[in-house]
């Protein structure tokens, strides 16, 4: 986890009236900006420090590399693990989403972690052996206890954790009386309320470097804007780059015609999971994905630079 005790910065802006905290967590830079103050005369800087503490606590329980975290303990050979209530909620949400979208699998850990730590490309035999331990039926969430039908099953919450946290922060800010805020967790964005000027927020959709595509701007109020891209994170093995999203059907990094998928939704958790699923589905699966999840918009950028928009 590291020592984040001094790893933050608070800055004020007069026009518009705003206060921003910047800090590192979840292995990414993050920022939260409150516009126009909080309710009941609450100290805005204090509210932002509470938000940062909440993020560090989520990092503590969900870091896959931090010894003693819920995820680290779940990914050790075991039959049952007692977890934090928030971990149970996250895993339950991922399981429920998988029931709708089987392409999304939170138990892909045995293969995704293999790729993350590989010094050579895993062989077909390596992947086949790891895939034997993949499948939601191998993990049963029962309240504070997570039962593992397969002791070697592993969970990977990377496709949903920041979405869950963004929703939690938005709720925390609303409870503090905040009506306008910009939450940015390493590119996982939630725009609370509306812009201080009274208009909708305008969020530019990032175009991957090296891709010649038109730029899109979405206008939102109280919505999450989450982008997942094959360009964001990768592992380099023998000079070749492999993107970080692993297809649970093959055990290999996803290979579709989409290099970036941006999802706009009321829930950041839903948007996070949908963005990953869109990348795995390819453009052929986007219409069906949007139809199964009314109220969301998906903007996908292809390898050729085409921009495909579906949904609301």
């Amino acid at each position: 986890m590291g020592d984040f005790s001094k790893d933050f910065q608070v800055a004020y802006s007069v026009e518009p009236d705003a206060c921003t905290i910047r800090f590192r967590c979840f292995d990414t830079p993050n920022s939260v900006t409150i516009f126009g103050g909080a309710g009941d005369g609450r100290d805005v800087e204090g509210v932002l420090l509470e938000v940062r503490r909440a993020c560090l606590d989520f990092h503590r329980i969900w870091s896959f590399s931090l010894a003693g975290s819920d995820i680290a303990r779940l990914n050790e050979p075991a039959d049952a693990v007692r977890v934090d209530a928030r971990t149970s909620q996250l895993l339950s949400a991922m399981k429920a989403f998988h029931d709708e979208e089987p392409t999304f699998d939170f138990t892909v850990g045995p293969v995704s972690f293999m790729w993350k730590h590989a010094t050579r490309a895993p062989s077909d035999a390596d992947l086949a052996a790891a895939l034997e331990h993949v499948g939601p039926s191998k993990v049963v969430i029962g309240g504070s206890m997570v039962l593992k039908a397969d002791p070697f099953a592993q969970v990977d919450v990377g496709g949903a954790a920041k979405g869950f946290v963004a929703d939690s922060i938005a709720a925390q800010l609303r409870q503090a009386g905040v009506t306008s805020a910009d939450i940015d967790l390493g590119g996982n964005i939630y725009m609370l309320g509306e812009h201080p000027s009274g208009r909708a927020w305008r969020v530019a959709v990032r175009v991957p470097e090296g891709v010649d595509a038109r730029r899109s701007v979405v206008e939102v109020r109280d919505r999450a804007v989450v982008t997942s891209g094959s360009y964001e994170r990768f592992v380099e093995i023998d000079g070749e780059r492999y993107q970080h999203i692993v297809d649970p059907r093959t055990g290999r990094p996803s290979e579709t015609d989409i290099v970036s998928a941006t999802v706009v939704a009321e829930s950041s958790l839903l948007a996070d999971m949908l963005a990953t699923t869109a990348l795995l589905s390819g453009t052929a699966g986007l219409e069906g994905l949007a139809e199964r999840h009314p109220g969301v918009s998906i903007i996908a950028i292809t390898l050729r630079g085409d921009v495909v928009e579906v949904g609301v």
Side-chain angles (χ1 to χ4, degrees), residues 109-280:
V111 284
S112 64
F113 296 135
M114 178 183 290
W115 281 101
K116 285 178 183 178
H117 302 294
T119 55
R120 61 175 179 81
S123 67
D124 291 343
D126 292 333
L127 295 175
L131 284 169
E132 290 183 1
H133 305 293
V134 174
S137 63
K138 300 178 185 297
V139 177
V140 180
I141 303 102
S144 63
M145 293 299 297
V146 177
L147 308 178
K148 296 172 66 175
D150 180 346
F152 297 100
Q154 294 183 316
V155 299
D156 186 342
V157 299
K162 285 195 295 183
F164 187 105
V165 175
D167 285 338
S168 177
I169 291 173
Q172 185 177 347
L173 291 178
R174 289 191 185 98
Q175 189 171 15
V178 175
T179 58
S180 180
D182 176 347
I183 302 165
D184 184 348
L185 304 183
N188 189 314
I189 295 169
Y190 192 100
M191 307 306 297
L192 189 152
E194 61 185 10
H195 189 274
S197 67
R199 61 169 172 80
W201 298 100
R202 295 172 185 148
V203 182
V205 176
R206 182 178 174 185
V207 176
E209 185 176 345
V211 176
D212 183 17
R214 67 174 172 82
R215 297 188 177 275
S216 301
V217 175
V218 296
E219 295 193 352
V220 297
R221 288 181 172 88
D222 271 328
R223 289 292 184 274
V225 183
V226 179
T227 299
S228 186
S230 59
Y231 62 90
E232 291 179 312
R233 286 180 285 147
F234 56 86
V235 60
E236 187 168 321
I237 304 172
D238 294 331
E240 186 171 354
R241 289 184 176 185
Y242 297 89
Q243 64 111 332
H244 70 291
I245 296 176
V246 173
D247 190 327
R249 297 166 295 188
T250 65
R252 297 186 178 280
S254 175
E255 294 182 0
T256 67
D257 57 343
I258 295 177
V259 292
S260 171
T262 298
V263 177
V264 179
E266 184 175 354
S267 161
S268 186
L269 173 59
L270 176 61
D272 207 354
M273 295 187 292
L274 279 173
T276 298
T277 308
L279 272 180
L280 291 167

